[in-house]
Structure formats: structure tokens, C-alpha cells
Amino acid sequence: MMTSIKTSLPFKKVIIVGAGFSGVAMAYQLRHTLKCDDFVIYDRGAGFGGTWLANTYPGCGVDIPAVFYSLSYAPNPDFSNLFPKQDEVLQYIDRVASRFNLTRHLVGNTEWVGASWQDDTKTWLVKLRDLSTGQEYIHGCNIVISAVGALTNPNLLTVPGTNCFQGDIIHTSRWDHDVSLRDKRVVVIGNGASATQLIPAVAAEVRSITQFIRSTQYFLPGRANNTISPLWQNAFRYVPGLLRLVRLLTFSYLETATPQFSLTETGEKMRKQTSEVSRCYIMDNAPAQYWPLLMPKFEVGCRRRVFDNDNYVRCLKRDNVHLTNDPVVALHERSVLANGFALTQYDTDVHGRGGRSRSKHWKDMGGIEAFNTIGMSEFPNFFYVLGPNSGRGHTSVVYSIESYTGLIARVIKPILEGSALCAEPKLSSEKAYNKRLHDALCKTVFTNSCGSWFIDPQTGKNWAVYPWSSFHMWWTTQVAGLEDWVYELPKMNPRGRNRSFLACLAMSTLVAALSLWWVYSSLYPGTERLWIAVEFPAHPLFCRV
């Protein structure tokens, strides 16, 4: 039975929830940009890595070139492949945490339960649960930063027969490496990126794989996962600027896909070309009986495109791999299953000013949203790293993480310096921003006609996708002003205010007297010595030699 207690943990300036890329990048901003060392990072996992610590299923890897799936201030010349696998990404995150001395700030095996703003003290009380003991406790801080990833909670299988199923049920994000798949009949539920990596990786060792798909995807030819040779690694390490140049070129290339999502003539033409490439790829590489299951009827870009780097489509030609869109209604036989995620990252109980709940705020605002994806009015000193409408479908999420951690650092700087107590976006600015955002989304393919998980079923609004370019993101997070934010300043002690006023008055009077003296002595030369002698006899500040 769980118990809840208040502990005497030392008050912190900042609490970060999440130790993946977002948490590491935010911690870097605190230590190295803001010179703040008074923070703690909580995570459900035992270490750094987030999704790259949790997902260890066979074949797990990156579908964005590694040079751009890394932090700009921590370039990595040591990736062995263009699209590295999970172990290398996790090693990279651990090295970054160690390099910037972040490890001592991490408290693992701890789940975030809730948070409540205290109006009287201008602080947050954060409720946490120790996963090893089940005990709950409270930790106080000035600022809470949610660095929780979007796809973190497994979508549990709830079909009839699950409870009495005699086989092994495994989720890709909770892979059990003690279970052998050799010569077993395996059922895979879902056909997102995880499934398309998993199936080719295990197809050779299992007796059979039957994949139940819920929807179609746009599969595109994979890019060769070339090995990065020691020669190139040394060039990246020792040739000044080379790695940054390749990073810039990769960013620019990926950004060329942006117009494809717009409802313009150019966008329509690009989508038709992509659709044709996908159709030809499937017809050339998949059995004909599966073509209807692999060719979507919705617009390209509605859902994230799958680049077939692991040859999933070709794998469907294997005799022991079977594909169907039949619904899963019950479990009867022994097998191993894997499926997707529940989008519950925003279910944590958070209460802002006056006890206002986050769910009530979103209900009043007409849906899941945040100003510039990082903050909400009436929730002072509460920030998201990858908040509502921060998702990208064509480029590196790490770029977004860097952008938003940079913006949060700019917003909280006065608070950490002591010149402000708290900050929150203006309500009018939050409403105006989200109107602009959804007006922009209406000009793209990211609308409710897609029917994807991007769409909130309660409101029909897209709560996940960022509709503008990466250049626009850079400008609004790194350059644009902070006039949409309201800062609450510390209240000065009345006696201290009076003293300050009298001191300023005395200084102003002295400056005025000195100015008059200078003017008078300039107009009437020769009288200044007498004037000084009369008014300020023998005073070292005024006497001249």
C-alpha cells in the first residue's frame, strides 16, 4: 500500500521532469548558459536517455542522420553509422551528461505524480513517487520544467483473453531480453516505426510473424545506412568546422520537405511525387496481395512518413511473415506481441494560480495548447520543452529541443537572477498565438481530415504538429523579444523603499548643487576658490590644489 509523506528535501530553484534529450538539453542551459547549479532532474528510468533508455527492442534506431540527431554544442564524430542504433544513441546521451557534469543532478526510478502552485510563496510543490518503494513525497521549487517525451507510456493490450494468456506479451518500449523468440509464433500489433524496425530484425529467427495493422502508412525507400569509416570519424574530429558544415547541409536538405505539407500548388505537386515514389516502392518490393494494405488514401504528411531503412517492405516477401488488417478481438494461442503508445503525457495533475487545473485551462482555451508551445497563462514558472504543437514530421526533434530549451532559458533568466519572482505568458498573447497556429495548420495537410493520433478526438484540433518552418522556430525562440511574458517583481520592504528614496533624493540634490557650482564658476572665473572656501572649507572632495 502506498503512503504519501512530506519530506525535508532542500528547496530547489528548478525541478526538471525527464532525463532524455529534453532533460539533458535543459540541464545544460541551466548550468552553462544561466550558471545555475541548484536544480534536480527526476526520471522514471534508472539513468539518462528517456526513450533511448526504455526502447531496447531488436532493430531500434534513428531515422534521422546522426549528425543532426545530436546537440549542436556537443557534436559527435564517433557515430559508426549514418543512422545509428539505440545503443550508440544512449552512449552519446550518457557522454553528454557526463561531459557537462549533469550526472550528480539525476534522481532516477522516480515518477512525477503532480504539481501545485503556491500563490502565497510563489513556489511549486511537486509530488513524486519512488518507484522502488511506492512512497510518495513532496519537493518544493521555484520553477518546474516538463521534459517528458510525447510517446512514453505503453499502450496496454486490453483485448479479451489477455489476463489468461499463457504466452509472453512484450511491449517494444519494455522489451524483455530474457524471452527468446527463436522458433516461436509471434504476433505484432501496429505498423509504426517500431514495428517496421522490429520485424526485419527478428524475422529470421522466429517460426512465423503475423502483423495486425490498424492503418496504412506511406513507406518510402530507405536511405543507405552507410558505415562511417574511421577516416571520416577522424576528419570530423580534427578538421575544424567540418562536422558543423555537414550538420548545416543535412539541416538544409531536410528542410526542403517543408513546402510539401502546404495546401498550395507546389505542395500538391510535391505530395503527388512522394505518393508515386511510395506506390512504386511498394509494388516493386512487396507481395501483390499486400498492396492495398500498404497504400494510403490520405494525403502525404498527414501521418509521419516511414523511411524503410531496415527493408521492412522487402521482408514481407518472406514465407514466415504475414500481414493483415483484421481486428484483434481475443487472444487464444501462445505468442509474443508488441504494440504502440498511449498519449497520456498530459494526464499528470497540475494546478496553477488559484488552484486552476491544467485540464480546466485547456477546456476554457478550446483544446490542448500552450503559448509558443512552452507556457500557459495562470501557470507561473511552469514550462514544457516539447509541449503542445512542437512536433515535426520531417526533421530532427533534437533541433526543436534545442530551440525550446533556449527560449525557456531566456524567459527564466530574470527569475534565477532574483530580479523577478515568476513569469507567465499573457492570456491575450496565448489566445492570439494559438489562433495564428491553427490558422496556419488549416493551410497544411495536418487537419482533422487525416484522422491520425495528431488530432485530439475531443476537439478535432491538431495538438501535436508545429506548422511553420525551422527558420521560423529559430527566430521566435532565439531572437524575437519577450514582450508577451508577464513578470511579477519582488515587493520591496516599505522601510527599505523609503530609505532608497531618501538616498536617491540626497544624491540628486548633491548632483544639482555641483552642476550649479560648475556653471557659476565658469561664468565668474576667480570666485570659485572663495566660494569653495566659504561653503566647503577644507573638504577634500571640493578643494583644489
Side-chain angles (χ1 to χ4, degrees):
M1 181 177 178
M2 283 188 237
T3 59
S4 181
I5 62 170
K6 288 191 176 182
T7 63
S8 57
L9 289 171
F11 186 87
K12 292 290 183 180
K13 287 186 178 179
V14 184
I15 288 179
I16 300 172
V17 181
F21 261 116
S22 296
V24 169
M26 193 66 245
Y28 169 85
Q29 291 286 354
L30 289 174
R31 288 206 76 242
H32 294 271
T33 302
L34 300 174
K35 309 304 179 186
C36 172
D37 204 44
D38 188 17
F39 66 91
V40 62
I41 309 168
Y42 286 108
D43 195 275
R44 291 188 302 188
F48 287 99
T51 187
W52 295 106
L53 179 65
N55 286 270
T56 61
Y57 61 86
C60 181
V62 178
D63 61 357
I64 294 290
V67 68
F68 198 45
Y69 200 84
S70 50
L71 297 161
S72 64
Y73 43 80
N76 181 28
D78 297 323
F79 282 126
S80 63
N81 292 90
L82 182 61
F83 303 102
K85 294 301 182 182
Q86 174 266 341
D87 57 338
E88 284 196 50
V89 179
L90 183 60
Q91 289 169 16
Y92 167 73
I93 295 173
D94 283 334
R95 285 200 302 271
V96 172
S98 177
R99 172 183 171 186
F100 295 115
N101 199 19
L102 307 180
T103 306
R104 60 191 175 86
H105 293 274
L106 176 66
V107 178
N109 298 310
T110 304
E111 186 170 39
W112 180 31
V113 179
S116 178
W117 173 254
Q118 307 301 298
D119 291 316
D120 53 345
T121 60
K122 313 299 179 189
T123 60
W124 282 95
L125 294 181
V126 180
K127 191 174 184 180
L128 303 149
R129 180 184 297 122
D130 187 326
L131 294 178
S132 60
T133 65
Q135 194 170 64
E136 295 182 354
Y137 58 95
I138 303 294
H139 199 168
C141 65
N142 292 114
I143 299 168
V144 176
I145 299 174
S146 172
V148 178
L151 303 178
T152 58
N153 296 322
N155 192 12
L156 300 178
L157 193 65
T158 57
V159 299
T162 302
N163 293 336
C164 57
F165 181 65
Q166 297 299 308
D168 300 299
I169 299 177
I170 306 175
H171 192 279
T172 49
S173 69
R174 303 291 186 271
W175 196 261
D176 187 347
H177 292 273
D178 292 332
V179 175
S180 172
L181 301 184
R182 186 164 298 281
D183 203 34
K184 288 187 176 179
R185 293 187 298 270
V186 176
V187 169
V188 176
I189 300 177
N191 66 330
S194 299
T196 57
Q197 292 178 342
L198 169 68
I199 290 173
V202 302
E205 65 175 302
V206 301
R207 181 184 302 179
S208 69
I209 294 178
T210 301
Q211 183 184 12
F212 289 82
I213 67 170
R214 294 165 175 166
S215 60
T216 53
Q217 304 274 14
Y218 273 102
F219 290 98
L220 297 170
R223 293 155 290 193
N225 193 11
N226 296 324
T227 300
I228 301 175
S229 68
L231 178 64
W232 274 107
Q233 290 176 341
N234 286 327
F236 288 147
R237 185 177 293 108
Y238 298 116
V239 177
L242 177 60
L243 193 54
R244 293 189 180 278
L245 175 62
V246 175
R247 178 185 174 89
L248 176 61
L249 293 174
T250 303
F251 162 77
S252 302
Y253 170 73
L254 294 175
E255 201 62 18
T256 60
T258 303
Q260 182 174 182
F261 309 120
S262 300
L263 297 179
T264 61
E265 185 176 342
T266 299
E268 184 178 1
K269 182 179 179 181
M270 293 177 69
R271 288 193 298 277
K272 285 183 178 179
Q273 291 174 343
T274 301
S275 178
E276 182 62 19
V277 169
S278 177
R279 188 182 70 85
C280 292
Y281 178 67
I282 289 169
M283 293 178 67
D284 290 344
N285 295 279
Q289 70 265 31
Y290 296 147
W291 291 354
L293 305 181
L294 299 171
M295 295 184 182
K297 293 181 173 59
F298 53 79
E299 291 267 22
V300 173
C302 276
R303 302 171 189 172
R304 188 179 175 101
R305 300 160 299 163
V306 178
F307 288 94
D308 194 15
N309 298 336
D310 296 285
N311 293 316
Y312 161 77
V313 173
R314 285 199 190 106
C315 184
L316 296 175
K317 289 183 176 181
R318 294 181 62 98
D319 293 337
N320 67 335
V321 177
H322 312 284
L323 183 65
T324 179
N325 61 354
D326 291 340
V328 178
V329 296
L331 298 183
H332 297 295
E333 299 181 16
R334 296 182 60 88
S335 57
V336 178
L337 301 100
N339 57 312
F341 292 88
L343 305 174
T344 55
Q345 68 271 29
Y346 296 139
D347 288 350
T348 304
D349 196 21
V350 178
H351 292 264
R353 197 185 300 279
R356 179 179 177 83
S357 70
R358 178 166 58 175
S359 57
K360 178 65 165 60
H361 177 77
W362 282 341
K363 182 178 180 180
D364 293 344
M365 296 295 287
I368 299 171
E369 55 77 57
F371 173 70
N372 221 349
T373 88
I374 71 165
M376 303 180 297
S377 175
E378 301 296 330
F379 288 79
N381 291 3
F382 180 83
F383 304 94
Y384 302 101
V385 176
L386 287 178
N389 294 103
S390 61
R392 318 302 303 284
H394 68 284
T395 191
S396 173
V397 69
V398 180
Y399 175 84
S400 300
I401 290 170
E402 278 202 54
S403 298
Y404 289 117
T405 54
L407 176 58
I408 293 171
R410 293 173 63 205
V411 173
I412 67 176
K413 183 178 180 182
I415 301 167
L416 297 179
E417 291 177 342
S419 58
L421 294 174
C422 54
E424 63 186 277
K426 298 175 184 176
L427 180 59
S428 58
S429 297
E430 186 174 347
K431 290 180 177 180
Y433 171 82
N434 279 281
K435 184 180 185 308
R436 291 195 307 273
L437 182 141
H438 286 287
D439 286 347
L441 282 170
C442 286
K443 299 175 183 177
T444 70
V445 297
F446 305 120
T447 62
N448 59 10
S449 62
C450 287
S452 73
W453 63 268
F454 298 156
I455 308 302
D456 180 3
Q458 303 295 324
T459 64
K461 291 183 177 180
N462 190 319
W463 61 269
V465 175
Y466 183 86
W468 298 295
S469 72
S470 297
F471 300 101
H472 184 271
M473 179 182 286
W474 173 80
W475 175 264
T476 56
T477 58
Q478 309 303 306
V479 180
L482 302 177
E483 60 274 1
D484 294 299
W485 292 84
V486 179
Y487 287 88
E488 184 173 342
L489 305 181
K491 293 181 180 179
M492 189 178 292
N493 184 288
R495 183 176 298 177
R497 185 184 296 112
N498 291 338
R499 288 177 178 174
S500 298
F501 172 75
L502 292 174
C504 290
L505 180 62
M507 182 61 69
S508 299
T509 303
L510 178 59
V511 170
L514 289 173
S515 299
L516 288 173
W517 166 62
W518 181 82
V519 171
Y520 183 81
S521 61
S522 299
L523 293 175
Y524 301 99
T527 61
E528 55 182 309
R529 289 181 182 274
L530 177 62
W531 189 84
I532 294 171
V534 172
E535 299 295 333
F536 305 102
H539 198 290
L541 181 60
F542 300 101
C543 292
R544 298 182 180 178
V545 178

